[in-house]
Amino acid sequence: MVFTMSNVFDYETAPQLESLVQKVGSIEECGRLGFVTNREDGIWHLSAVGLGYLLYLAKIDSEGSPAMAQAFAAGFECATDNAA
């Protein structure tokens, strides 16, 4: 599994992606929620909603939960749909 980000501070270890995977449970679940995307070359990237979720958890000082991740992803998708 290869992690990288286009707007990351540490290109070597991608700690934001590792943290997101730990909080959500798996990279596949992160992808299903839209928190990460996988390029054709197999490299995972943190999406805007994934970064937003990590910042939200940091702000409320929480580890999160599957239900919270699902609600956050749904709210972001709804906001994106309504903005278009």
Side-chain angles (χ1 to χ4, degrees):
M1 189 175 334
V2 177
F3 295 133
T4 136
M5 293 177 51
S6 57
N7 60 348
V8 66
F9 302 109
D10 184 351
Y11 287 97
E12 297 298 317
T13 62
Q16 293 86 351
L17 282 175
E18 291 174 14
S19 178
L20 188 61
V21 169
Q22 288 176 352
K23 292 179 186 314
V24 174
S26 70
I27 193 72
E28 292 78 15
E29 182 66 4
C30 290
R32 186 186 75 74
L33 293 170
F35 291 172
V36 296
T37 57
N38 192 336
R39 291 191 333 201
E40 294 172 4
D41 59 6
I43 296 176
W44 291 97
H45 292 267
L46 186 64
S47 69
V49 67
L51 178 60
Y53 183 64
L54 283 176
L55 293 172
Y56 171 75
L57 291 180
K59 180 178 181 181
I60 64 169
D61 195 28
S62 172
E63 287 299 312
S65 69
M68 185 186 299
Q70 184 69 39
F72 194 93
F76 187 86
E77 184 177 325
C78 179
T80 301
D81 290 348
N82 287 332

